[in-house]
Every structure is written in C-alpha cells, then in structure tokens.
Amino acid sequence: MSKRDDHYYITTPIYYVNAQAHIGHAYTSIAADIMARFQRLLGKQVNFLTGTDEHGQKIARAAEAKGVGPQTFVDEISEGFRDLHKVLNASNTDFIRTSEPRHIAGAQKFWEAANASGDIYKKSYEGLYCVGCEQYFAQKDLIDGLCPIHKKAPEMLSEENYFFRLSRYTEPLKKYFDEHPQFIFPLNRQKEMRQILEEGLEDISISRSTEKLSWGIPVPGDDSQVMYVWFDALTNYVTAIGYGADEAFFDAWWPADAHVMAKEINRFHSLLWPAMLLSAQQQIPKQIVVHGWLTVDGEKMSKSLGNVVNPYDIVAKYGIDAFRFFMFREMSFGSDGDFSYTKLDQRYRADLSNDLGNLLMRTIAMTHKFCDGRVPVETKGEHQEFWDLYRTHMSSWEFQKALEIVWDYVRGLNQLIDREKPWTANKEGRTEDVARTLYTLLEGLRQIAIAIQPFMPGTSEKMLSQLGFEYFEPKFDNLVEWGLLKSGAVLAEPEALFPYIE
Ligand code: MSP
C-alpha cells in the first residue's frame, strides 16, 4: 500500500516544555492550521499533528531548577501546550508527547532500522555542546566563542557515544535536492541547505551516557545510553502515525506533506531527518516549510527583556480570529515579522470592524429595509478568476497574498454600495437595480466567508449563519451548487462580527 492521494499529513515542531507557550509557538501552529483547513476545503482528509518534545538536557535542567521530577514537570507544561491549541482553535487531529509509550517504542524501532543499515557506531568524543540548541557546535560556527542563537558559551562534553553516519548521506541528499527543487519553502532556504551539503555533512553523536543524562529514551540493547534528543524528537513524525506498530495506518499517511517550523531548526528537518529516513528506508517528506522569526515591537522576544507576549492576553482582548488574521495579513509568511499591539489594533479597526464587519452589517440591514429581509433574485456569478488565484496563493503558502485578494474583494463590494446607492435606487423605485446590487453583495459575502474560513473559522461560521446557512463544512468542488444563495431565504437581524474595543 502507499500514501493515499486524498490524505494530507501536516505537522508543527514538537515544542520544548522547558518554558510556557508564547506567540512564537502560536504563530507556527496557526500557520499549520490554516493549511490544514485549506486542505479540508479542497476535500482532503487531513492528519494534523502537534505535540511536545520532553526529553534532553534542557528539560532535565529546567525540572531540576524547579525542584520537581522531570515527568511531573513535563506533564504540567505539556498540558499548557495542549490547552493553547484549543484556545487557538487549532484543528489538530493528534497531539504527541515524546514521553508516551507509543513514541518511545517507535523511536527505538527507528533506531534499530538505522542500525540495521550499518549507520550507527560507537566512538569516544569531545565537543562543544549548546544545551539551548541541544546541539554540538564546531568552533568555526561560534561567534566570539558563543552560540549564535543563545549567545552563551557552549559546554565541553566528552564521553563515549553512538554516532550516526550522516556523512554517508551527503551525496544522496544532494541528488534529492536537485531532483526536488521545491523541497524547501521558501526557495532561499533550500539554497542555504544546498550550500551546507556542498561543504559535506559530518557524522553526529546520537546518544548520551546515562551517567550524564538519564532523562531520555534508552538506546535499544544498551541501557547505559539514552538517545540524543533530536534523534528521539524527529521520529515523532512517524511514531504518531503508527511507525513500527500499525503498518496500514502508517502507509496511508507517510510521507508527510509538510513539516512546518521556523528557520533555526530547518537544518534538522531538511538534512538530518531526511538522512535518518533514508537510513531507515523510508520516504522523505514532500515539503519542509520554513518561516521567519517573530519579534515584538522590533525586538527579539526574551524573558530577560520582559517582552514575551502571551497569546492568551491577545485572545482575551481581540478574540482568536482577529489574532489569527493579523499574524498572516500583516506579515509575509516565510520572512521575519514583527508583532505589535498598535498594528493589531489598527488592523482590527480598519480591516475587520470597518471593511468586513460593516459590509456585512450594511448589506443585511439594507436587505431588511428594501427587500423585507428576503434574499432577492438569483443570478449566477462564478468568480472563477478569484478562486483560481486564491487557490494558487494558498497552495504555495502565500497567505498574505491570499488575504490581500480577499480584502480587494471586500473593498470592491463596499465601493459597489457607494456607487449604486441602493437607498437612492429604492426611493426612485428602481427595484430591479436594488435587487441586483443586494444579491451581488450577499453572494459576494458568502464567497468571502468561505475564503476566510481557514484563517477565521469562527467568523466564517457566523457570517454564513447570518446569511441563512446552517453549519456545514464547505468544499471547493461544489462551491457554486451548494452555496448559491437562494432567493426568498429570510435573513435574521445582523450582529456585529468585530465589536468596538476600548
Ligand atoms: N523541540 C524542538 C523541535 C523539535 S521538532 C522535531 C524545538 N522546540 S521549541 O520549543 O524551541 O520550538 C521552536 C519552534 O517554535 C520554532 O521553530 C518555531 O516554529 C516556533 N517558535 C518559537 N519562537 C518563535 C518566534 N519567536 N518566532 C517564530 N517562531 C517561533 O525547537
């Protein structure tokens, strides 16, 4: 059996549980959710995985600092991430924790498969390790002796470990990259990785002695070592879909369609993970989707700066849909972006309350006033061009462009009202003109409600319900047939989508 065409498998990174979730994590998970929901619109069956990465030195130390056992510590923070995804209205179908038995058993099977390919060997090693990155650094990759990401001096570690023959995969990966020029989104990220391949990959340590670190998955056949946290963590993408346990399920979903993450962990996903998969004789995921870093008011978010933005605060004030919309309307997905309450506030007022909210309000109010609240004459309008463009942008992760064309549509309808002046037409007894304008507006709003569905699922549902639809799951295939507003349908009183906020 092989991966089914109507299946779409998307993942976020599994998040470290050494600290509470913040908007950076929310950003990635919402991006993946938007794609997951778009794929459902296309009629795909979607498996959307997120979860928590719970082993390794970083977590062990964080638990120690709090004076609790590692399991107790990770249980609590992992629950926080699970809860965050509910608040984000993420439609993930699974949530994996690396401390779960299904993952531990699968990771060990994966290790055995790589071992069976002759890619794992033991050797003594000394190197500079950054606990923040959970990664060894070569002297040349440090900046003034410090980790380029955490700006801290790495620790010298020396012990006997298992190694993975990553070097063996330099050539196969070069070939894979050449044959799959769109493997990594955006393209400049693929160039970066291709450059690293040119320099050649080196074998890496993939275990730690339990004397130094016991919080990890035991290496099969050697209880004195636990797996390196990245080797353990990357396998979550396959253990969650039954690797080594449920072959039929695994075959139906693997390879993944998209692994989504920020740029600092691209290398693990685009080089190490594909090499591990080749070693275990599995297929490479279809796409690695890399976005930029989110700053706050132009600064890197950090505990020491005290500028870590809590997603719960934003949602409490503006609602989840405004937050989801803002992050992808304001910033270009793939590049770095900046969050600020001022900009969020502006978008809320201008794009949401004014442009969209008022359009719906005015349209329904006029339908009541001039047409007894009944949907007037039915005229077919296909809008094929709009939908083709929308689909192209969405399929290529151009979320900002997709929202731009939707807002062009919204503004176009607002201009139509100003131009046609239905109140004047009504006064002058031009009932056909009034009916035609209102129908164009109502039908346009229906289409807009569908187009924003991946971004603002709650708002989409509210709009459709105000337009007289029972809840349903929209699909592109029958966009025209299922939805065309039926003349004569009676609309309820309008309700504000984005109420005024102090
Ligand atoms: N546990 C590893 C991932 C293992 S995946 C097999 C890890 N965890 S993490 O908690 O540090 O999460 C990193 C990811 O969280 C980033 O790649 C990104 O997806 C998201 N973000 C965290 N902070 C972010 C920003 N400030 N901006 C954008 N994304 C951010 O790395």
Side-chain angles (χ1 to χ4, degrees):
M1 226 178 89
S2 62
K3 163 105 180 204
R4 293 177 44 178
D5 279 346
D6 62 347
H7 281 35
Y8 187 89
Y9 180 29
I10 183 165
T11 68
T12 72
I14 45 172
Y15 302 111
Y16 283 133
V17 289
N18 62 317
Q20 303 293 340
H22 58 63
I23 54 166
H25 308 116
Y27 182 70
T28 310
S29 287
I30 296 171
D33 188 53
I34 290 168
M35 185 51 91
R37 289 178 184 272
F38 170 68
Q39 292 295 333
R40 290 193 192 100
L41 275 180
L42 293 177
K44 298 260 173 132
Q45 200 179 316
V46 174
N47 195 337
F48 171 16
L49 176 70
T50 187
T52 45
D53 188 352
E54 308 189 356
H55 294 126
Q57 189 86 60
K58 192 168 148 120
I59 312 293
R61 286 195 188 161
E64 225 174 82
K66 254 200 132 187
V68 292
Q71 190 65 54
T72 316
F73 179 79
V74 299
D75 283 352
E76 189 190 319
I77 301 192
S78 177
E79 207 42 47
F81 275 95
R82 210 186 273 269
D83 186 57
L84 173 72
H85 284 81
K86 290 193 190 118
V87 171
L88 298 177
N89 199 1
S91 62
N92 55 299
T93 48
D94 198 356
F95 186 100
I96 193 160
R97 302 182 53 186
T98 55
S99 61
E100 277 176 69
R102 65 167 168 161
H103 173 73
I104 295 172
Q108 288 177 326
K109 287 234 165 83
F110 198 96
W111 177 290
E112 281 164 353
N115 195 28
S117 298
D119 285 335
I120 297 183
Y121 63 95
K122 219 171 181 181
K123 122 175 163 183
S124 301
Y125 186 71
E126 203 174 60
L128 292 165
Y129 195 78
C130 169
V131 174
C133 295
E134 297 277 16
Q135 185 187 352
Y136 279 103
F137 275 91
Q139 196 73 45
K140 71 169 170 53
D141 294 326
L142 300 175
I143 298 175
D144 298 330
L146 305 180
C147 157
I149 294 176
H150 295 90
K151 319 274 185 241
K152 277 194 189 151
E155 300 171 22
M156 181 59 88
L157 294 184
S158 86
E159 56 191 58
E160 192 177 51
N161 295 149
Y162 288 97
F163 272 70
F164 176 63
R165 267 185 230 286
L166 184 56
S167 59
R168 189 177 163 186
Y169 293 96
T170 305
E171 289 311 315
L173 286 179
K174 275 188 191 164
K175 187 162 173 267
Y176 188 84
F177 273 54
D178 292 344
E179 286 168 359
H180 300 85
Q182 312 243 355
F183 176 47
I184 308 174
F185 167 90
L187 295 182
N188 60 329
R189 299 274 168 223
Q190 175 137 347
K191 283 199 194 119
E192 265 172 32
M193 294 298 122
R194 188 68 180 71
Q195 188 51 41
I196 296 176
L197 284 172
E198 276 315 313
E199 291 161 17
L201 301 174
E202 285 174 22
D203 292 355
I204 63 158
S205 161
I206 52 162
S207 73
R208 298 291 314 276
S209 148
T210 44
E211 279 171 24
K212 304 268 170 65
L213 171 75
S214 59
W215 182 235
I217 301 180
V219 165
D222 184 351
D223 281 348
S224 73
Q225 299 261 326
V226 292
M227 285 182 202
Y228 166 50
V229 63
W230 271 101
F231 194 95
D232 154 356
L234 286 164
T235 65
N236 91 87
Y237 301 131
V238 294
T239 62
I241 53 166
Y243 174 79
D246 183 345
E247 247 169 72
F249 193 78
F250 180 76
D251 287 347
W253 290 103
W254 194 256
D257 292 272
H259 291 318
V260 185
M261 78 219 58
K263 59 190 180 184
E264 83 289 355
I265 57 175
N266 177 18
R267 196 175 165 152
F268 289 104
H269 286 81
S270 297
L271 301 175
L272 176 58
W273 178 227
M276 284 167 63
L277 286 162
L278 288 176
S279 174
Q281 285 158 23
Q282 295 297 339
Q283 293 180 66
I284 292 176
K286 294 193 183 154
Q287 204 178 23
I288 306 295
V289 177
V290 186
H291 62 74
W293 276 341
L294 208 62
T295 50
V296 171
D297 293 321
E299 304 239 36
K300 185 174 187 274
M301 246 186 311
S302 82
K303 267 196 214 153
S304 48
L305 281 175
N307 65 345
V308 177
V309 176
N310 176 346
Y312 291 90
D313 294 344
I314 306 177
V315 173
K317 183 160 180 200
Y318 292 92
I320 181 57
D321 277 7
F323 177 42
R324 291 173 61 113
F325 168 79
F326 172 73
M327 303 281 254
F328 295 91
R329 176 68 189 86
E330 182 72 28
M331 306 163 208
S332 164
F333 187 67
S335 317
D336 290 342
D338 188 48
F339 175 87
S340 86
Y341 271 107
T342 316
K343 282 187 277 184
L344 168 59
D345 209 72
Q346 280 163 358
R347 290 259 176 220
Y348 184 91
R349 281 166 211 267
D351 296 9
L352 297 177
S353 268
N354 262 342
D355 290 350
L356 181 61
N358 281 348
L359 173 65
L360 182 75
M361 202 66 147
R362 287 160 90 195
T363 302
I364 296 185
M366 287 190 292
T367 310
H368 279 286
K369 211 158 168 195
F370 307 139
C371 302
D372 294 329
R374 280 169 207 282
V375 174
V377 286
E378 210 172 300
T379 43
K380 275 206 179 191
E382 292 245 341
H383 303 277
Q384 200 54 45
E385 240 174 78
F386 167 80
W387 285 110
D388 286 348
L389 205 53
Y390 174 85
R391 283 164 80 140
T392 306
H393 289 324
M394 292 297 285
S395 311
S396 25
W397 300 92
E398 294 171 337
F399 294 155
Q400 193 184 32
K401 286 191 183 157
L403 285 173
E404 255 161 39
I405 64 159
V406 177
W407 254 256
D408 285 346
Y409 197 168
V410 171
R411 275 189 289 268
L413 292 182
N414 276 318
Q415 285 158 5
L416 178 76
I417 300 182
D418 298 342
R419 206 170 50 236
E420 293 294 322
K421 299 187 181 54
W423 50 93
T424 311
N426 183 61
K427 221 187 261 164
E428 292 169 0
R430 290 186 279 120
T431 42
E432 267 182 31
D433 289 349
V434 175
R436 200 184 50 246
T437 306
L438 283 178
Y439 188 79
T440 306
L441 292 168
L442 289 164
E443 171 58 14
L445 278 161
R446 178 185 73 83
Q447 305 212 22
I448 287 159
I450 296 162
I452 63 166
Q453 201 265 356
F455 297 92
M456 300 192 278
T459 304
S460 168
E461 202 183 323
K462 274 193 212 159
M463 285 177 70
L464 289 169
S465 125
Q466 293 198 32
L467 293 168
F469 290 93
E470 299 280 325
Y471 179 74
F472 61 94
E473 202 175 324
K475 293 266 186 292
F476 278 135
D477 278 356
N478 45 11
L479 188 66
V480 176
E481 289 74 19
W482 62 249
L484 202 71
L485 282 168
K486 292 281 170 269
S487 53
V490 182
L491 304 184
E493 287 301 318
E495 250 177 76
L497 294 175
F498 297 97
Y500 178 74
I501 292 176
E502 282 295 331

